[in-house]
Amino acid sequence: MSRMSVSAAPRKTTHGTITPAANFDKEEDAKRLKKAMQGFGCDEKTVISIAAHRTNYQRQEIRKTFKTMYGKDLMQELRSELSGHLKDAILSAMMSTYEYDADQLYHAMKGLGTTESVLIEILCSRSNQEIVEIKQTFKTMYGKDLEKEIRSETSGHFERLLVSMLSANRDETGTIDRAKAQKDAQSLYKAGEARWGTDEATFNVIFATRSFPQLRATFDEYSRISKYDIEKSIEREMSGDLKNGMVAIVKCARDLPGYFAERLYKSMKGLGTDDSTLVRVVVTRAEVDMVEVKQRFQQMYRKSLKQFIEGDTSGNYRRC
């Protein structure tokens, strides 16, 4: 193999819209929250002014300080004082990053039926370290093994894809091997378009183990040998949750902010709003890449994310 076939992928720098509050005073914030929840009703604007303008780390410091100062659990206090979508948004923001992902996965599998789109969104977009932390947090919060829960709620090739994601073993070196990309592209073509039926296992191996930059190179090579783009090929060859999971990996590998911009758009498109997805994406990307998500949203839909949200929400929920 030529040494020239291996290169380093350029690092993508992303930016959150929430940054650490200047002159942060956790005791003062705890006092303000206590006062906001005293007496009849709740001063929702004060709660929003704190929850929406502190980093997740700062919010966790406020939670601990509130319990130390008042002997009460801040989350329980907020749960009893707030209602509706505003309550969901505030409680989501006040959870730690991994608590929130674990909570979303748990509720996606709780009760009758499973919300597979949530499993796909979280497990196909997070880093190895994030998935390790989510699994540990899930065990701590619910006393259950996340992989066992996933296995009991899914089946077939879709189950295998999610278990592969849970293994948290994707290559994250960031190097691109052009020769391997060509070989993988040929393997994907032979496993799909070039045969009768689909060899899903080959797709799983490549999609679950290769780094996102390596997958981008593979998809470029695939376009050179197939008359269809990889995403189109998946849509032709697969169906249901497996198709959705594979397509999600393609979109995350190619353009992670674009993937979340699309998730936000679909949560607000048409009649009604998928508030759980709207809140989840805003909360989880706020400190990661929300600047880029907003930019991609504008480019993709010719309307600002702010305009969309204002058109689909109201009151203090909108302000949050």
Side-chain angles (χ1 to χ4, degrees):
M1 185 189 302
S2 169
R3 291 171 65 89
M4 295 298 291
S5 73
V6 179
S7 61
R11 287 192 172 274
K12 293 186 176 182
T13 303
T14 57
H15 311 82
T17 50
I18 293 181
T19 54
N23 304 313
F24 172 59
D25 186 336
K26 57 189 178 182
E27 289 190 9
E28 181 60 27
D29 282 348
K31 287 178 186 176
R32 290 178 62 205
L33 287 169
K34 180 74 162 61
K35 184 178 178 182
M37 295 183 286
Q38 281 179 333
F40 183 75
C42 177
D43 179 359
E44 294 176 347
K45 289 182 180 178
T46 294
V47 174
I48 292 168
S49 72
I50 294 172
H53 298 93
R54 305 289 184 271
T55 62
N56 191 271
Y57 172 78
Q58 290 175 332
R59 292 192 293 266
Q60 302 320 303
E61 289 297 299
I62 294 168
R63 281 177 64 182
K64 288 186 284 187
T65 302
F66 190 93
K67 180 172 276 189
T68 301
M69 291 173 68
Y70 304 113
K72 293 182 177 181
D73 184 84
L74 178 57
M75 299 294 276
Q76 290 180 3
E77 295 295 297
L78 291 168
R79 195 173 284 113
S80 66
E81 292 290 334
L82 301 172
S83 62
H85 298 312
L86 176 62
K87 177 173 81 171
D88 295 337
I90 295 294
L91 290 175
S92 298
M94 293 302 296
M95 288 185 189
S96 75
T97 302
Y98 303 123
E99 279 179 341
Y100 185 50
D101 276 348
D103 171 83
Q104 290 293 289
L105 291 169
Y106 175 77
H107 285 96
M109 297 182 284
K110 184 181 177 183
L112 290 173
T114 303
T115 310
E116 288 85 358
S117 61
V118 176
L119 306 183
I120 291 168
E121 178 193 307
I122 294 175
L123 298 179
C124 293
S125 68
R126 304 303 194 253
S127 69
N128 290 343
Q129 185 57 41
E130 286 169 337
I131 289 175
V132 168
E133 296 285 353
I134 290 165
K135 289 195 294 186
Q136 292 174 349
T137 305
F138 191 93
K139 181 76 170 180
T140 300
M141 291 174 69
Y142 304 109
K144 296 180 178 182
D145 182 80
L146 179 55
E147 182 178 322
K148 287 181 180 177
E149 294 300 300
I150 293 283
R151 286 185 182 278
S152 71
E153 294 291 331
T154 59
S155 61
H157 292 291
F158 180 56
E159 174 197 335
R160 289 167 209 161
L161 178 65
L162 295 186
V163 170
S164 294
M165 296 299 102
L166 281 169
S167 71
N169 199 33
R170 182 183 297 284
D171 172 32
E172 292 182 342
T173 58
T175 57
I176 298 173
D177 186 329
R178 301 289 172 184
K180 181 185 279 189
Q182 291 172 356
K183 183 179 177 182
D184 283 349
Q186 287 285 350
S187 296
L188 290 171
Y189 182 69
K190 290 175 183 175
E193 293 290 348
R195 57 173 283 168
W196 181 259
T198 308
D199 174 10
E200 293 90 348
T202 295
F203 277 81
N204 197 97
V205 168
I206 294 169
F207 277 45
T209 61
R210 308 298 189 252
S211 69
F212 281 176
Q214 183 68 31
L215 284 176
R216 288 196 293 273
T218 301
F219 301 155
D220 289 344
E221 293 295 336
Y222 186 89
S223 296
R224 294 189 176 98
I225 59 175
S226 172
K227 63 179 181 178
Y228 299 108
D229 174 80
I230 187 67
E231 191 175 325
K232 180 67 175 177
S233 287
I234 291 168
E235 289 174 348
R236 283 165 47 85
E237 295 290 325
M238 301 178 191
S239 62
D241 297 322
L242 177 64
K243 177 194 74 175
N244 294 336
M246 292 288 185
V247 167
I249 293 172
V250 172
K251 290 179 176 178
C252 288
R254 282 178 162 167
D255 178 12
L256 197 57
Y259 170 72
F260 285 109
E262 183 183 26
R263 293 288 291 159
L264 287 168
Y265 175 74
K266 288 183 175 178
S267 76
M268 296 179 282
K269 177 182 143 188
L271 289 173
T273 304
D274 177 359
D275 292 283
S276 62
T277 297
L278 173 59
V279 169
R280 184 176 58 256
V281 175
V282 169
V283 167
T284 57
R285 309 318 292 181
E287 295 179 50
V288 181
D289 54 5
M290 185 52 76
V291 170
E292 287 72 27
V293 171
K294 288 166 69 176
Q295 290 170 349
R296 292 295 290 124
F297 193 98
Q298 178 81 48
Q299 293 163 359
M300 292 163 72
Y301 305 111
R302 299 290 182 255
K303 198 171 181 180
S304 75
L305 177 57
K306 182 181 178 182
Q307 286 175 301
F308 247 86
I309 290 175
E310 287 178 344
D312 269 61
T313 59
S314 61
N316 284 331
Y317 174 46
R318 177 195 292 170
R319 295 185 187 97
C320 189

